[in-house]
Amino acid sequence: MATQTMTSMRELDSRTSDGINVRLLWHEPDGRLFVSVADSKTGDAFDLEIRDRDRTREVFQHPFAYAAWYGVATRKTA
């Protein structure tokens, strides 16, 4: 996400477990929701835009499952 976009993001929730940080973000200008995941152990990170038909809390609780479902890469490339 670009710097300009990040300044208009508001964190709604976050959690950390075993070095994996998960954040629920709201993009105020257009109302879109995102889940951002960062693994401090591996350096891997990815973002998911929550789609209209998704259940926000489920995406926040199970981001790796949704990433797999939507074909989002969860590991950094060399």
Side-chain angles (χ1 to χ4, degrees):
M1 291 177 224
T3 303
Q4 182 179 4
T5 303
M6 290 305 291
T7 59
S8 60
M9 291 289 224
R10 183 173 295 196
E11 184 176 278
L12 301 178
D13 202 352
S14 66
R15 62 186 177 85
T16 301
S17 178
D18 196 29
I20 298 174
N21 304 304
V22 182
R23 298 170 60 206
L24 176 60
L25 304 169
W26 173 46
H27 185 250
E28 289 185 70
D30 60 15
R32 292 182 300 158
L33 292 169
F34 296 86
V35 171
S36 180
V37 178
D39 186 332
S40 63
K41 291 181 178 180
T42 65
D44 294 339
F46 64 94
D47 297 310
L48 295 169
E49 183 173 358
I50 297 175
R51 301 174 185 192
D52 289 338
R53 66 183 175 273
D54 293 339
R55 292 186 176 142
T56 302
R57 184 56 56 183
E58 283 192 25
V59 179
F60 178 71
Q61 292 297 326
H62 307 286
F64 288 93
Y66 277 84
W69 179 259
Y70 291 125
V72 174
T74 60
R75 296 181 187 245
K76 66 180 178 181
T77 55

